[in-house]
Amino acid sequence: MIKLTNIRKTFKVSRRNAGIKNALMAMIKRDHQIIEALADISFNVDDGEMVGYIGPNGAGKSSTIKIMSGILNPDSGECIINGRVPWKDRVNHVKEIGVVFGQRSQLWWDVPVIDSFELLRDIYSVDETTYKNNLSTLTEILGISVILRTPARQLSLGQRMRCEIAASLLHNPRILFLDEPTIGLDAVSKIAVREFIKHINRERQTTVILTTHDMQDIDALTNRILLIGKGRILLDGSLDELKKRYSLKRKITIDGNITQHVAHEGITETERGIYIIDTDKMSISEAVSILTKDIEIRDISVENTSLEEVIVNMYKDYSI
């Protein structure tokens, strides 16, 4: 179980204006600014949950992941994961977690991938039987058997990310932290990674914390959402609840003999044949009845609000 209580983290950042003169002055006296990355962060995650941890750039997502991983120490607050404080018992803690940073690599750049896997096996003290079983399963499901002898620097981004995920799971971690795991991947690689994450959660009950800007990842993998903004948890709820709360508009497109404009409360005509429906004021069936009353219809379609639009509406609601 993961439990964070009143976690706070600040960073001291150097600041200076452009120009040689200012650069020379900064060598003598530097101006600093205290940035509050996390302010009173609290949440719990149960064993086997898959949670989407979302927010804009600079919101504090990666800082939270690094604290839960034991990489960073918070200024104050409490973090207990599986009964341990990550930064105080780092050796035992890392044996039970896997971490994938989309823009960081744990593979050795100039050696074949299989050599990196064997080094990680020794680092985590994985017994030979467990290692071989995990390697066989991971290579088959992720489709990386043909690239195990290839140096990491010669892999495509999609191939490397599959190998990164495999590397993070060789030691059977109970918790998997994924920070932008599908960044830059093509559609085929994204689907493969998503299916694999769902597989390990279902088969091994692995707890997954996912941070990403790709809302398709969130929609495909998680049901619970944690929204962070300006270093604070702003919202904790299910994805279905959020969709209902922020998906108040539908788009109806009608192909037919349209001879007049529609003026009705709850219906906005954006262009001929395309209408935005405020479902807070009327149901879709009521809107369709009004719109099609005097129209000879050839085709009609109703589109839901996309998850990207839902998230944008959330950001606007919380001013982040």
Side-chain angles (χ1 to χ4, degrees):
M1 180 175 178
I2 299 171
K3 182 177 181 180
L4 274 70
T5 308
N6 306 124
I7 292 291
R8 183 174 179 271
K9 181 64 179 178
T10 59
F11 295 98
K12 186 166 71 171
V13 180
S14 298
R15 302 288 193 191
R16 73 169 177 84
N17 294 323
I20 296 177
K21 180 180 178 180
N22 289 314
L24 293 172
M25 291 179 63
M27 296 175 64
I28 301 171
K29 182 181 179 181
R30 291 189 177 184
D31 291 329
H32 295 94
Q33 181 180 359
I34 301 299
I35 303 296
E36 190 173 45
L38 300 175
D40 198 29
I41 294 289
S42 299
F43 61 82
N44 297 339
V45 177
D46 292 331
D47 293 339
E49 266 197 285
M50 285 209 293
V51 178
Y53 193 41
I54 64 174
N57 290 328
K61 302 185 299 296
S62 294
S63 295
T64 310
I65 296 295
K66 289 175 181 177
I67 286 174
M68 291 191 290
S69 304
I71 297 172
L72 288 179
N73 294 11
D75 297 341
S76 61
E78 183 179 59
C79 176
I80 305 295
I81 298 180
N82 294 334
R84 300 188 182 93
V85 178
W87 57 92
K88 291 183 178 179
D89 193 3
R90 189 174 298 172
V91 173
N92 289 317
H93 176 62
V94 297
K95 291 180 180 179
E96 295 190 343
I97 68 169
V99 184
V100 177
F101 289 106
Q103 302 183 63
R104 299 286 187 275
S105 179
Q106 59 185 319
L107 303 175
W108 278 261
W109 202 240
D110 293 311
V111 302
V113 171
I114 190 64
D115 286 354
S116 293
F117 286 179
E118 291 179 355
L119 284 168
L120 290 167
R121 174 199 61 192
D122 295 338
I123 289 171
Y124 286 103
S125 301
V126 182
D127 66 82
E128 192 64 25
T129 301
T130 300
Y131 170 73
K132 287 183 177 179
N133 289 338
N134 286 345
L135 180 63
S136 175
T137 301
L138 292 168
T139 53
E140 179 181 353
I141 296 176
L142 287 170
I144 58 174
S145 57
V146 297
I147 58 175
L148 289 179
R149 296 178 178 273
T150 305
R153 60 181 171 79
Q154 294 181 350
L155 300 177
S156 70
L157 181 57
Q159 291 173 327
R160 184 174 65 78
M161 286 309 303
R162 293 189 197 190
C163 293
E164 294 281 357
I165 292 173
S168 70
L169 292 166
L170 287 170
H171 58 293
N172 283 339
R174 294 172 59 186
I175 301 172
L176 182 61
F177 296 116
L178 300 173
D179 191 5
E180 299 284 359
T182 62
I183 188 170
L185 301 190
D186 58 62
V188 174
S189 296
K190 283 186 178 184
I191 291 172
V193 168
R194 289 172 190 153
E195 289 302 316
F196 178 72
I197 293 169
K198 287 191 284 188
H199 172 81
I200 62 166
N201 175 257
R202 181 177 61 251
E203 298 298 325
R204 299 185 182 181
Q205 289 297 297
T206 304
T207 304
V208 179
I209 309 293
L210 170 68
T211 75
T212 181
H213 292 295
D214 190 330
M215 292 303 109
Q216 290 182 345
D217 287 346
I218 296 294
D219 205 11
L221 295 172
T222 69
N223 186 47
R224 180 184 172 194
I225 297 294
L226 287 167
L227 172 65
I228 184 173
K230 300 177 182 177
R232 299 179 184 275
I233 297 295
L234 302 175
L235 186 146
D236 183 354
S238 75
L239 187 57
D240 291 338
E241 290 172 352
L242 296 181
K243 286 180 179 179
K244 290 178 182 177
R245 178 175 172 182
Y246 289 97
S247 299
L248 298 178
K249 298 186 186 300
R250 300 286 191 276
K251 183 170 77 171
I252 294 179
T253 303
I254 297 176
D255 180 14
N257 184 21
I258 302 170
T259 59
Q260 59 185 3
H261 294 286
V262 175
H264 197 285
E265 185 180 7
I267 301 177
T268 303
E269 184 176 4
T270 58
E271 57 184 279
R272 186 58 61 90
I274 299 178
Y275 309 90
I276 302 299
I277 312 304
D278 187 344
T279 56
D280 198 33
K281 296 180 179 179
M282 68 170 58
S283 67
I284 293 298
S285 60
E286 290 173 329
V288 170
S289 177
I290 293 169
L291 290 171
T292 60
K293 185 177 181 181
D294 300 314
I295 299 176
E296 183 182 342
I297 299 173
R298 287 189 292 268
D299 190 20
I300 184 171
S301 65
V302 180
E303 297 179 26
N304 292 328
T305 305
S306 69
L307 186 54
E308 283 82 2
E309 291 173 306
V310 170
I311 299 302
V312 168
N313 291 334
M314 276 202 314
Y315 287 0
K316 290 179 179 177
D317 197 15
Y318 288 98
S319 300
I320 59 173

